[in-house]
Amino acid sequence: MTTDRITGTKTSASTGLRAVVRIEGLRKSFGSLEVLKGVDLEVDRGEVVVILGPSGSGKSTLLRCVNLLEKPTAGTIYFEDSCITDSKVNINHIREKVGMVFQSFNLFPHLSARANVALAPRKVLKRSHEEADRIAIEQLEKVGLGDRVEYLPAQLSGGQQQRVAIARALAMDPHVMLFDEATSALDPELVRGVLDVMRSLAEAGMTMIVVTHEMGFAREVADRVIFMDDGIIVEQGSPTEVFDAPQHERTKDFLGHIS
């Protein structure tokens, strides 16, 4: 059961009535290696889902399949009202609504923070230079970088660069945000600022799917925690259920090694 942060409405994640993302029987192989082995998952509007698991469990591959950065071997993915695994669907149109933040920041080194964020609204959404710059400055202010808009990436810390990457994704006005280990490449003292931005997005009602090893963030912010291992969802539930009373031995073993 999840709570919509905007309306306060309680909805079962299994109903599909309000699902923004619905995944059915998802499989993904790289050659002879099967990484995803039949994953079913629904994410409701306004829900924050955190995916945990050891390296190689399929977490990042699952996330990358949601916007077809990886093409599934089998299974079906629905985004809102579209079956995005249907070859007739314009995936570029779908990707405009799905923001993604990676481990690496992938910023253009020769462009300022403002120019990095304004690029996609100009090129993809066909906004004017003036409108794209207004959006960029607004989003940079939202992530706490209003005084760094003209800085080049090399003049920013790693945490600030990641916040620029978040602002860049937000500039497209996404319906869902995907975070793939967004803090794992950062020094510990820089992680807090990025997590604070992610918390504020959750509080504002953004639908988020987050792959992370930040257990404190998962416990505090997630509506639902999913534990994956060996290409399948082993266990899922509220943070309290998964962290304090895990049912599966593999989940208990994983949490025991990281606590």
Side-chain angles (χ1 to χ4, degrees):
M1 190 76 71
T2 61
T3 303
D4 189 298
R5 290 185 172 82
I6 298 173
T7 66
T9 303
K10 294 281 188 179
T11 306
S12 169
S14 64
T15 63
L17 295 177
R18 298 175 59 255
V20 179
V21 175
R22 189 166 87 253
I23 298 170
E24 299 176 350
L26 182 64
R27 294 180 177 272
K28 175 61 182 178
S29 296
F30 296 95
S32 61
L33 177 64
E34 189 174 35
V35 177
L36 298 177
K37 302 177 180 179
V39 174
D40 298 315
L41 176 63
E42 293 183 2
V43 180
D44 287 340
R45 192 173 306 280
E47 188 178 17
V48 177
V49 174
V50 171
I51 304 176
L52 309 176
S55 297
S57 59
K59 309 182 303 295
S60 293
T61 300
L62 173 60
L63 210 62
R64 291 172 67 86
C65 283
V66 171
N67 61 0
L68 297 193
L69 289 177
E70 296 290 353
K71 187 176 179 180
T73 304
T76 308
I77 302 174
Y78 296 89
F79 177 77
E80 296 181 331
D81 296 327
S82 300
C83 175
I84 66 172
T85 44
D86 186 331
S87 60
K88 301 183 185 68
V89 168
N90 183 341
I91 188 57
N92 290 323
H93 178 65
I94 299 297
R95 285 180 181 143
E96 292 174 13
K97 304 175 185 178
V98 182
M100 187 155 186
V101 180
F102 301 88
Q103 290 181 358
S104 56
F105 321 126
N106 297 324
L107 301 177
F108 290 104
H110 62 290
L111 297 180
S112 68
R114 173 188 53 76
N116 264 285
V117 176
L119 189 61
R122 276 180 37 231
K123 296 290 189 181
V124 179
L125 300 182
K126 307 303 181 185
R127 301 287 189 256
S128 67
H129 280 266
E130 294 77 11
E131 177 69 2
D133 281 346
R134 183 194 65 76
I135 292 170
I137 292 169
E138 179 181 288
Q139 296 303 333
L140 286 166
E141 288 175 346
K142 185 179 292 186
V143 299
L145 294 175
D147 59 344
R148 299 287 194 273
V149 297
E150 298 304 331
Y151 281 47
L152 294 172
Q155 297 172 302
L156 300 171
S157 70
Q160 289 170 334
Q161 290 183 58
Q162 190 62 293
R163 282 187 274 160
V164 173
I166 294 173
R168 177 180 58 190
L170 291 173
M172 296 294 287
D173 194 22
H175 296 188
V176 175
M177 285 286 287
L178 311 177
F179 292 88
D180 186 10
E181 299 281 14
T183 60
S184 65
L186 302 177
D187 291 333
E189 65 268 23
L190 301 177
V191 168
R192 183 184 181 91
V194 174
L195 293 180
D196 284 346
V197 170
M198 293 169 67
R199 283 189 187 92
S200 69
L201 291 175
E203 290 167 1
M206 175 65 73
T207 307
M208 298 164 59
I209 308 176
V210 183
V211 171
T212 185
H213 289 295
E214 298 290 340
M215 299 299 120
F217 174 87
R219 183 182 284 274
E220 177 187 348
V221 179
D223 294 302
R224 184 159 40 117
V225 174
I226 289 173
F227 173 67
M228 288 187 67
D229 189 35
D230 195 27
I232 63 170
I233 293 177
V234 174
E235 187 166 349
Q236 60 181 304
S238 70
T240 299
E241 290 169 337
V242 173
F243 286 116
D244 297 342
Q247 299 300 301
H248 197 283
E249 287 301 320
R250 185 65 188 91
T251 314
K252 294 176 184 178
D253 181 63
F254 175 78
L255 293 174
H257 279 89
I258 62 173
S259 61

PDB file of all heavy atoms in Angstrom, residues 197-227:
ATOM      1  N   VAL A 197      18.609  16.833  -2.397  1.00  0.00           N
ATOM      2  CA  VAL A 197      17.829  17.178  -3.592  1.00  0.00           C
ATOM      3  C   VAL A 197      16.836  16.067  -3.902  1.00  0.00           C
ATOM      4  O   VAL A 197      15.665  16.325  -4.217  1.00  0.00           O
ATOM      5  CB  VAL A 197      18.765  17.428  -4.793  1.00  0.00           C
ATOM      6  CG1 VAL A 197      17.964  17.553  -6.086  1.00  0.00           C
ATOM      7  CG2 VAL A 197      19.595  18.687  -4.564  1.00  0.00           C
ATOM      8  N   MET A 198      17.276  14.824  -3.803  1.00  0.00           N
ATOM      9  CA  MET A 198      16.387  13.698  -4.080  1.00  0.00           C
ATOM     10  C   MET A 198      15.240  13.643  -3.061  1.00  0.00           C
ATOM     11  O   MET A 198      14.100  13.344  -3.409  1.00  0.00           O
ATOM     12  CB  MET A 198      17.188  12.393  -4.081  1.00  0.00           C
ATOM     13  CG  MET A 198      18.187  12.321  -5.237  1.00  0.00           C
ATOM     14  SD  MET A 198      19.372  10.950  -5.104  1.00  0.00           S
ATOM     15  CE  MET A 198      18.294   9.530  -5.296  1.00  0.00           C
ATOM     16  N   ARG A 199      15.539  13.948  -1.796  1.00  0.00           N
ATOM     17  CA  ARG A 199      14.485  14.004  -0.779  1.00  0.00           C
ATOM     18  C   ARG A 199      13.450  15.056  -1.117  1.00  0.00           C
ATOM     19  O   ARG A 199      12.246  14.832  -0.991  1.00  0.00           O
ATOM     20  CB  ARG A 199      15.092  14.308   0.588  1.00  0.00           C
ATOM     21  CG  ARG A 199      15.774  13.159   1.274  1.00  0.00           C
ATOM     22  CD  ARG A 199      16.160  13.500   2.702  1.00  0.00           C
ATOM     23  NE  ARG A 199      16.968  12.435   3.283  1.00  0.00           N
ATOM     24  CZ  ARG A 199      18.298  12.404   3.259  1.00  0.00           C
ATOM     25  NH1 ARG A 199      18.976  13.381   2.677  1.00  0.00           N
ATOM     26  NH2 ARG A 199      18.942  11.390   3.794  1.00  0.00           N
ATOM     27  N   SER A 200      13.921  16.220  -1.554  1.00  0.00           N
ATOM     28  CA  SER A 200      12.989  17.306  -1.868  1.00  0.00           C
ATOM     29  C   SER A 200      12.103  16.937  -3.048  1.00  0.00           C
ATOM     30  O   SER A 200      10.919  17.303  -3.083  1.00  0.00           O
ATOM     31  CB  SER A 200      13.755  18.609  -2.146  1.00  0.00           C
ATOM     32  OG  SER A 200      14.486  18.534  -3.354  1.00  0.00           O
ATOM     33  N   LEU A 201      12.644  16.217  -4.014  1.00  0.00           N
ATOM     34  CA  LEU A 201      11.833  15.748  -5.147  1.00  0.00           C
ATOM     35  C   LEU A 201      10.758  14.780  -4.668  1.00  0.00           C
ATOM     36  O   LEU A 201       9.602  14.857  -5.100  1.00  0.00           O
ATOM     37  CB  LEU A 201      12.719  15.068  -6.190  1.00  0.00           C
ATOM     38  CG  LEU A 201      13.677  15.965  -6.971  1.00  0.00           C
ATOM     39  CD1 LEU A 201      14.562  15.115  -7.882  1.00  0.00           C
ATOM     40  CD2 LEU A 201      12.923  16.991  -7.796  1.00  0.00           C
ATOM     41  N   ALA A 202      11.129  13.871  -3.773  1.00  0.00           N
ATOM     42  CA  ALA A 202      10.156  12.922  -3.236  1.00  0.00           C
ATOM     43  C   ALA A 202       9.051  13.656  -2.483  1.00  0.00           C
ATOM     44  O   ALA A 202       7.864  13.344  -2.636  1.00  0.00           O
ATOM     45  CB  ALA A 202      10.859  11.922  -2.311  1.00  0.00           C
ATOM     46  N   GLU A 203       9.428  14.642  -1.695  1.00  0.00           N
ATOM     47  CA  GLU A 203       8.446  15.401  -0.922  1.00  0.00           C
ATOM     48  C   GLU A 203       7.501  16.178  -1.831  1.00  0.00           C
ATOM     49  O   GLU A 203       6.345  16.427  -1.470  1.00  0.00           O
ATOM     50  CB  GLU A 203       9.165  16.348   0.036  1.00  0.00           C
ATOM     51  CG  GLU A 203       9.873  15.618   1.185  1.00  0.00           C
ATOM     52  CD  GLU A 203      10.828  16.511   1.942  1.00  0.00           C
ATOM     53  OE1 GLU A 203      10.933  17.713   1.582  1.00  0.00           O
ATOM     54  OE2 GLU A 203      11.471  16.020   2.889  1.00  0.00           O
ATOM     55  N   ALA A 204       7.981  16.558  -3.014  1.00  0.00           N
ATOM     56  CA  ALA A 204       7.147  17.297  -3.973  1.00  0.00           C
ATOM     57  C   ALA A 204       6.241  16.368  -4.787  1.00  0.00           C
ATOM     58  O   ALA A 204       5.460  16.834  -5.609  1.00  0.00           O
ATOM     59  CB  ALA A 204       8.036  18.116  -4.913  1.00  0.00           C
ATOM     60  N   GLY A 205       6.361  15.040  -4.570  1.00  0.00           N
ATOM     61  CA  GLY A 205       5.476  14.101  -5.245  1.00  0.00           C
ATOM     62  C   GLY A 205       6.007  13.511  -6.529  1.00  0.00           C
ATOM     63  O   GLY A 205       5.251  12.895  -7.289  1.00  0.00           O
ATOM     64  N   MET A 206       7.314  13.652  -6.788  1.00  0.00           N
ATOM     65  CA  MET A 206       7.893  13.081  -7.998  1.00  0.00           C
ATOM     66  C   MET A 206       7.907  11.556  -7.909  1.00  0.00           C
ATOM     67  O   MET A 206       8.296  10.987  -6.887  1.00  0.00           O
ATOM     68  CB  MET A 206       9.327  13.593  -8.200  1.00  0.00           C
ATOM     69  CG  MET A 206      10.076  12.968  -9.371  1.00  0.00           C
ATOM     70  SD  MET A 206       9.362  13.349 -10.986  1.00  0.00           S
ATOM     71  CE  MET A 206       9.857  15.078 -11.156  1.00  0.00           C
ATOM     72  N   THR A 207       7.481  10.896  -8.968  1.00  0.00           N
ATOM     73  CA  THR A 207       7.601   9.437  -9.062  1.00  0.00           C
ATOM     74  C   THR A 207       9.073   9.106  -9.294  1.00  0.00           C
ATOM     75  O   THR A 207       9.693   9.645 -10.216  1.00  0.00           O
ATOM     76  CB  THR A 207       6.757   8.897 -10.225  1.00  0.00           C
ATOM     77  OG1 THR A 207       5.416   9.376 -10.099  1.00  0.00           O
ATOM     78  CG2 THR A 207       6.758   7.376 -10.232  1.00  0.00           C
ATOM     79  N   MET A 208       9.633   8.226  -8.467  1.00  0.00           N
ATOM     80  CA  MET A 208      11.059   7.950  -8.537  1.00  0.00           C
ATOM     81  C   MET A 208      11.334   6.456  -8.385  1.00  0.00           C
ATOM     82  O   MET A 208      10.727   5.792  -7.552  1.00  0.00           O
ATOM     83  CB  MET A 208      11.804   8.717  -7.430  1.00  0.00           C
ATOM     84  CG  MET A 208      11.688  10.227  -7.550  1.00  0.00           C
ATOM     85  SD  MET A 208      12.146  11.123  -6.034  1.00  0.00           S
ATOM     86  CE  MET A 208      13.836  10.591  -5.793  1.00  0.00           C
ATOM     87  N   ILE A 209      12.254   5.960  -9.225  1.00  0.00           N
ATOM     88  CA  ILE A 209      12.796   4.615  -9.053  1.00  0.00           C
ATOM     89  C   ILE A 209      14.293   4.804  -8.824  1.00  0.00           C
ATOM     90  O   ILE A 209      14.995   5.358  -9.671  1.00  0.00           O
ATOM     91  CB  ILE A 209      12.548   3.717 -10.272  1.00  0.00           C
ATOM     92  CG1 ILE A 209      11.060   3.725 -10.660  1.00  0.00           C
ATOM     93  CG2 ILE A 209      13.003   2.294  -9.975  1.00  0.00           C
ATOM     94  CD1 ILE A 209      10.762   2.938 -11.924  1.00  0.00           C
ATOM     95  N   VAL A 210      14.767   4.345  -7.683  1.00  0.00           N
ATOM     96  CA  VAL A 210      16.122   4.674  -7.244  1.00  0.00           C
ATOM     97  C   VAL A 210      16.910   3.404  -6.955  1.00  0.00           C
ATOM     98  O   VAL A 210      16.519   2.610  -6.090  1.00  0.00           O
ATOM     99  CB  VAL A 210      16.078   5.550  -5.966  1.00  0.00           C
ATOM    100  CG1 VAL A 210      17.495   5.950  -5.542  1.00  0.00           C
ATOM    101  CG2 VAL A 210      15.208   6.790  -6.182  1.00  0.00           C
ATOM    102  N   VAL A 211      17.993   3.203  -7.674  1.00  0.00           N
ATOM    103  CA  VAL A 211      18.950   2.158  -7.352  1.00  0.00           C
ATOM    104  C   VAL A 211      20.043   2.801  -6.505  1.00  0.00           C
ATOM    105  O   VAL A 211      20.683   3.769  -6.932  1.00  0.00           O
ATOM    106  CB  VAL A 211      19.556   1.540  -8.631  1.00  0.00           C
ATOM    107  CG1 VAL A 211      20.721   0.615  -8.279  1.00  0.00           C
ATOM    108  CG2 VAL A 211      18.494   0.776  -9.409  1.00  0.00           C
ATOM    109  N   THR A 212      20.240   2.290  -5.290  1.00  0.00           N
ATOM    110  CA  THR A 212      21.198   2.931  -4.395  1.00  0.00           C
ATOM    111  C   THR A 212      21.671   1.954  -3.336  1.00  0.00           C
ATOM    112  O   THR A 212      21.027   0.935  -3.063  1.00  0.00           O
ATOM    113  CB  THR A 212      20.566   4.161  -3.709  1.00  0.00           C
ATOM    114  OG1 THR A 212      21.562   4.845  -2.926  1.00  0.00           O
ATOM    115  CG2 THR A 212      19.405   3.766  -2.804  1.00  0.00           C
ATOM    116  N   HIS A 213      22.810   2.283  -2.724  1.00  0.00           N
ATOM    117  CA  HIS A 213      23.295   1.577  -1.543  1.00  0.00           C
ATOM    118  C   HIS A 213      23.128   2.438  -0.294  1.00  0.00           C
ATOM    119  O   HIS A 213      23.620   2.049   0.776  1.00  0.00           O
ATOM    120  CB  HIS A 213      24.776   1.193  -1.723  1.00  0.00           C
ATOM    121  CG  HIS A 213      24.998   0.109  -2.734  1.00  0.00           C
ATOM    122  ND1 HIS A 213      24.524  -1.172  -2.559  1.00  0.00           N
ATOM    123  CD2 HIS A 213      25.632   0.115  -3.927  1.00  0.00           C
ATOM    124  CE1 HIS A 213      24.870  -1.921  -3.605  1.00  0.00           C
ATOM    125  NE2 HIS A 213      25.542  -1.156  -4.449  1.00  0.00           N
ATOM    126  N   GLU A 214      22.471   3.575  -0.442  1.00  0.00           N
ATOM    127  CA  GLU A 214      22.267   4.472   0.697  1.00  0.00           C
ATOM    128  C   GLU A 214      21.078   3.982   1.522  1.00  0.00           C
ATOM    129  O   GLU A 214      19.925   4.316   1.262  1.00  0.00           O
ATOM    130  CB  GLU A 214      22.046   5.911   0.210  1.00  0.00           C
ATOM    131  CG  GLU A 214      23.217   6.508  -0.554  1.00  0.00           C
ATOM    132  CD  GLU A 214      24.407   6.786   0.349  1.00  0.00           C
ATOM    133  OE1 GLU A 214      24.214   6.883   1.589  1.00  0.00           O
ATOM    134  OE2 GLU A 214      25.532   6.905  -0.170  1.00  0.00           O
ATOM    135  N   MET A 215      21.364   3.183   2.545  1.00  0.00           N
ATOM    136  CA  MET A 215      20.300   2.560   3.325  1.00  0.00           C
ATOM    137  C   MET A 215      19.494   3.587   4.119  1.00  0.00           C
ATOM    138  O   MET A 215      18.277   3.439   4.284  1.00  0.00           O
ATOM    139  CB  MET A 215      20.884   1.519   4.289  1.00  0.00           C
ATOM    140  CG  MET A 215      21.611   0.388   3.597  1.00  0.00           C
ATOM    141  SD  MET A 215      20.547  -0.566   2.483  1.00  0.00           S
ATOM    142  CE  MET A 215      21.401  -0.325   0.934  1.00  0.00           C
ATOM    143  N   GLY A 216      20.159   4.619   4.612  1.00  0.00           N
ATOM    144  CA  GLY A 216      19.444   5.643   5.365  1.00  0.00           C
ATOM    145  C   GLY A 216      18.419   6.352   4.497  1.00  0.00           C
ATOM    146  O   GLY A 216      17.287   6.618   4.932  1.00  0.00           O
ATOM    147  N   PHE A 217      18.799   6.657   3.273  1.00  0.00           N
ATOM    148  CA  PHE A 217      17.876   7.285   2.328  1.00  0.00           C
ATOM    149  C   PHE A 217      16.706   6.354   2.040  1.00  0.00           C
ATOM    150  O   PHE A 217      15.547   6.774   2.040  1.00  0.00           O
ATOM    151  CB  PHE A 217      18.613   7.619   1.028  1.00  0.00           C
ATOM    152  CG  PHE A 217      17.721   8.149  -0.063  1.00  0.00           C
ATOM    153  CD1 PHE A 217      17.435   9.501  -0.149  1.00  0.00           C
ATOM    154  CD2 PHE A 217      17.173   7.298  -1.011  1.00  0.00           C
ATOM    155  CE1 PHE A 217      16.609   9.996  -1.143  1.00  0.00           C
ATOM    156  CE2 PHE A 217      16.345   7.778  -2.009  1.00  0.00           C
ATOM    157  CZ  PHE A 217      16.061   9.135  -2.076  1.00  0.00           C
ATOM    158  N   ALA A 218      16.985   5.090   1.812  1.00  0.00           N
ATOM    159  CA  ALA A 218      15.923   4.124   1.512  1.00  0.00           C
ATOM    160  C   ALA A 218      14.943   4.019   2.669  1.00  0.00           C
ATOM    161  O   ALA A 218      13.718   4.026   2.476  1.00  0.00           O
ATOM    162  CB  ALA A 218      16.529   2.759   1.206  1.00  0.00           C
ATOM    163  N   ARG A 219      15.452   3.951   3.871  1.00  0.00           N
ATOM    164  CA  ARG A 219      14.591   3.821   5.041  1.00  0.00           C
ATOM    165  C   ARG A 219      13.730   5.067   5.247  1.00  0.00           C
ATOM    166  O   ARG A 219      12.557   4.979   5.604  1.00  0.00           O
ATOM    167  CB  ARG A 219      15.441   3.564   6.286  1.00  0.00           C
ATOM    168  CG  ARG A 219      14.635   3.335   7.552  1.00  0.00           C
ATOM    169  CD  ARG A 219      15.544   3.134   8.734  1.00  0.00           C
ATOM    170  NE  ARG A 219      16.155   1.822   8.775  1.00  0.00           N
ATOM    171  CZ  ARG A 219      15.595   0.741   9.322  1.00  0.00           C
ATOM    172  NH1 ARG A 219      14.368   0.819   9.823  1.00  0.00           N
ATOM    173  NH2 ARG A 219      16.235  -0.402   9.350  1.00  0.00           N
ATOM    174  N   GLU A 220      14.325   6.235   4.991  1.00  0.00           N
ATOM    175  CA  GLU A 220      13.639   7.500   5.271  1.00  0.00           C
ATOM    176  C   GLU A 220      12.666   7.920   4.181  1.00  0.00           C
ATOM    177  O   GLU A 220      11.582   8.436   4.467  1.00  0.00           O
ATOM    178  CB  GLU A 220      14.686   8.604   5.465  1.00  0.00           C
ATOM    179  CG  GLU A 220      14.111   9.987   5.698  1.00  0.00           C
ATOM    180  CD  GLU A 220      15.194  11.058   5.704  1.00  0.00           C
ATOM    181  OE1 GLU A 220      16.392  10.708   5.757  1.00  0.00           O
ATOM    182  OE2 GLU A 220      14.833  12.239   5.642  1.00  0.00           O
ATOM    183  N   VAL A 221      13.017   7.697   2.909  1.00  0.00           N
ATOM    184  CA  VAL A 221      12.288   8.314   1.799  1.00  0.00           C
ATOM    185  C   VAL A 221      11.411   7.332   1.027  1.00  0.00           C
ATOM    186  O   VAL A 221      10.362   7.711   0.504  1.00  0.00           O
ATOM    187  CB  VAL A 221      13.284   9.011   0.839  1.00  0.00           C
ATOM    188  CG1 VAL A 221      12.569   9.634  -0.346  1.00  0.00           C
ATOM    189  CG2 VAL A 221      14.078  10.086   1.598  1.00  0.00           C
ATOM    190  N   ALA A 222      11.803   6.067   0.960  1.00  0.00           N
ATOM    191  CA  ALA A 222      11.086   5.115   0.103  1.00  0.00           C
ATOM    192  C   ALA A 222       9.680   4.828   0.609  1.00  0.00           C
ATOM    193  O   ALA A 222       9.442   4.725   1.813  1.00  0.00           O
ATOM    194  CB  ALA A 222      11.871   3.813  -0.008  1.00  0.00           C
ATOM    195  N   ASP A 223       8.748   4.693  -0.336  1.00  0.00           N
ATOM    196  CA  ASP A 223       7.451   4.105  -0.042  1.00  0.00           C
ATOM    197  C   ASP A 223       7.558   2.589  -0.045  1.00  0.00           C
ATOM    198  O   ASP A 223       6.878   1.900   0.713  1.00  0.00           O
ATOM    199  CB  ASP A 223       6.416   4.535  -1.088  1.00  0.00           C
ATOM    200  CG  ASP A 223       6.135   6.018  -1.040  1.00  0.00           C
ATOM    201  OD1 ASP A 223       5.719   6.505   0.019  1.00  0.00           O
ATOM    202  OD2 ASP A 223       6.346   6.693  -2.066  1.00  0.00           O
ATOM    203  N   ARG A 224       8.419   2.086  -0.933  1.00  0.00           N
ATOM    204  CA  ARG A 224       8.578   0.639  -1.081  1.00  0.00           C
ATOM    205  C   ARG A 224      10.037   0.333  -1.356  1.00  0.00           C
ATOM    206  O   ARG A 224      10.699   1.041  -2.121  1.00  0.00           O
ATOM    207  CB  ARG A 224       7.696   0.134  -2.228  1.00  0.00           C
ATOM    208  CG  ARG A 224       7.709  -1.361  -2.421  1.00  0.00           C
ATOM    209  CD  ARG A 224       6.464  -1.866  -3.182  1.00  0.00           C
ATOM    210  NE  ARG A 224       6.079  -0.996  -4.270  1.00  0.00           N
ATOM    211  CZ  ARG A 224       6.071  -1.347  -5.567  1.00  0.00           C
ATOM    212  NH1 ARG A 224       6.432  -2.560  -5.913  1.00  0.00           N
ATOM    213  NH2 ARG A 224       5.683  -0.504  -6.487  1.00  0.00           N
ATOM    214  N   VAL A 225      10.554  -0.693  -0.725  1.00  0.00           N
ATOM    215  CA  VAL A 225      11.924  -1.156  -0.933  1.00  0.00           C
ATOM    216  C   VAL A 225      11.867  -2.518  -1.599  1.00  0.00           C
ATOM    217  O   VAL A 225      11.107  -3.403  -1.187  1.00  0.00           O
ATOM    218  CB  VAL A 225      12.693  -1.244   0.396  1.00  0.00           C
ATOM    219  CG1 VAL A 225      14.068  -1.880   0.178  1.00  0.00           C
ATOM    220  CG2 VAL A 225      12.839   0.138   1.023  1.00  0.00           C
ATOM    221  N   ILE A 226      12.658  -2.682  -2.651  1.00  0.00           N
ATOM    222  CA  ILE A 226      12.740  -3.940  -3.391  1.00  0.00           C
ATOM    223  C   ILE A 226      14.154  -4.487  -3.264  1.00  0.00           C
ATOM    224  O   ILE A 226      15.127  -3.751  -3.459  1.00  0.00           O
ATOM    225  CB  ILE A 226      12.387  -3.716  -4.874  1.00  0.00           C
ATOM    226  CG1 ILE A 226      10.891  -3.430  -5.022  1.00  0.00           C
ATOM    227  CG2 ILE A 226      12.789  -4.911  -5.730  1.00  0.00           C
ATOM    228  CD1 ILE A 226      10.480  -3.034  -6.407  1.00  0.00           C
ATOM    229  N   PHE A 227      14.262  -5.748  -2.919  1.00  0.00           N
ATOM    230  CA  PHE A 227      15.563  -6.402  -2.878  1.00  0.00           C
ATOM    231  C   PHE A 227      15.659  -7.373  -4.052  1.00  0.00           C
ATOM    232  O   PHE A 227      14.813  -8.256  -4.211  1.00  0.00           O
ATOM    233  CB  PHE A 227      15.773  -7.154  -1.566  1.00  0.00           C
ATOM    234  CG  PHE A 227      17.030  -7.973  -1.542  1.00  0.00           C
ATOM    235  CD1 PHE A 227      18.273  -7.351  -1.571  1.00  0.00           C
ATOM    236  CD2 PHE A 227      16.983  -9.364  -1.521  1.00  0.00           C
ATOM    237  CE1 PHE A 227      19.447  -8.100  -1.575  1.00  0.00           C
ATOM    238  CE2 PHE A 227      18.144 -10.124  -1.531  1.00  0.00           C
ATOM    239  CZ  PHE A 227      19.380  -9.482  -1.554  1.00  0.00           C
TER     240      PHE A 227
END
